[in-house]
Amino acid sequence: MTRPLISLAALLALAAPSFAQEAAPAPPSPAEIVDQAPADEWVVIPPEDLLVMTLAPAADGSERKVVIQLMPAPFSQDWVANIRTFARAGWFDDITVNRVQDNYVAQWGDANYDNPESTGEAKPLPDGLIATDERNYTAPSEAIGLSTLLADSTRDLALKTGHVLSTSDETAGVIIANGLVDSYAQLSLFDRGWPLASNIGADDESEPAAVWPIHCYGMVGVGRNMSPDAGTGAELYTVIGHAPRHLDRNIALVGRVVEGIEHLSSLPRGKGQLGFYENEAMRTPILTVRVAADLPASERPSFEYLATDGASFARYAEARANRRDPFFIVPAGGADICNIPVPVRRTGSE
């Protein structure tokens, strides 16, 4: 006796669909939550806080632009001011990407600066640069009102369980109920669209309570020499690999790439020490770097980020930590803060 090719139950389901159990709707993916976020939960990034870096065209002639959002107060403001000075003086024009280290960083600057093997002459620095200090790699926790956020039971709960927190000037709250542990700090949090860490809750009470931006993928930092040198902002890098959190509080972070990271992360890896190019021909020229506010309106990019103190971001962050959309079998039950990237979207030109 041959076995039927389809079961009787399946035939009944085909013949009478009402007999079949209706599948529950799939939980939304993080991307779907972001797409559904209302307009009033998106925050415009001021053109003064955007840099447009134009690289030499790709081999096929296509344009390569990288847009960087600069860090807002209270973080790294001396370096950020210097970077605007460099850009407005045209100093960044015609520098090069000199280092691309796999799973780490892509770094650009004047190849003749502080390079004992260089035969060229370093570009003179522009006037008006601000002296920088490594003490400003962090900011006092009260600069973002962190004690208000962590008052009473909320603070105890957050410090015990490693919650992700979201803060703003008006509201504050726990946005993930479980599962985030930061191996590099006592607390991870989001403030006005940026991922931060804090030492609040540390055993050493003699250490001032502070907050600092962290080295997630796409973050932009300042190259420097040995301490106490803190760099001017002339040499910059972006993270193109696993988050190198050991660099937190050791280097000034000044922003993040919001568009065009692929033009840096896909560059050939350098074969020299720390990924520096041994062959000068491999360096990628940077044609121009401009503050977006200085560009003609028709060329000025416009971006906005999803407010990290809003309901949509809370749902998005929880979904990133506990994926339940159809592809996933087992929710992770937690997330590293760098695995909850703040959504940023282009809104066209002004």
Side-chain angles (χ1 to χ4, degrees), residues 228-266:
D229 178 66
T232 62
E235 191 114 21
L236 299 173
Y237 65 88
T238 189
V239 176
I240 60 168
H242 183 77
R245 293 287 307 280
H246 58 284
L247 296 177
D248 295 354
R249 292 185 287 178
N250 287 284
I251 296 181
L253 281 170
V254 292
R256 62 185 169 198
V257 176
V258 296
E259 186 176 83
I261 187 68
E262 69 276 10
H263 300 312
L264 297 170
S265 63
S266 63

Side-chain angles (χ1 to χ4, degrees), residues 139-188:
S141 63
E142 286 315 293
I144 65 167
L146 194 52
S147 64
T148 301
L149 170 68
L150 297 180
D152 304 327
S153 60
T154 304
R155 169 176 176 157
D156 294 339
L157 180 64
L159 297 179
K160 287 178 181 176
T161 60
H163 289 14
V164 180
L165 305 176
S166 178
T167 75
S168 76
D169 293 335
E170 295 83 19
T171 62
V174 178
I175 64 168
I176 290 186
N178 57 36
L180 188 137
V181 176
D182 194 331
S183 299
Y184 294 90
Q186 282 65 46
L187 189 67
S188 297

Side-chain angles (χ1 to χ4, degrees), residues 111-122:
N112 296 315
Y113 174 74
D114 198 26
N115 183 357
E117 298 181 5
S118 172
T119 57
E121 188 172 331

Side-chain angles (χ1 to χ4, degrees), residues 50-86:
L50 293 173
L51 287 183
V52 180
M53 181 166 71
T54 304
L55 308 181
D60 63 359
S62 59
E63 184 179 67
R64 293 188 288 184
K65 287 186 182 292
V66 178
V67 183
I68 296 167
Q69 179 188 4
L70 294 173
M71 191 79 66
F75 303 105
S76 306
Q77 291 304 286
D78 292 341
W79 292 275
V80 169
N82 283 348
I83 289 168
R84 291 194 184 99
T85 297
F86 280 117

Side-chain angles (χ1 to χ4, degrees), residues 71-75 139 141 144 146 163-165 167 180 182 185 187-199 210-216 219 245 248 253 337-338 342:
M71 191 79 66
F75 303 105
S141 63
I144 65 167
L146 194 52
H163 289 14
V164 180
L165 305 176
T167 75
L180 188 137
D182 194 331
L187 189 67
S188 297
L189 63 148
F190 293 95
D191 180 68
R192 288 165 291 179
W194 293 87
L196 309 176
S198 174
N199 62 351
V211 288
W212 55 88
I214 59 181
H215 277 78
C216 294
M219 292 292 282
R245 293 287 307 280
D248 295 354
L253 281 170
I337 190 169
C338 288
V342 176

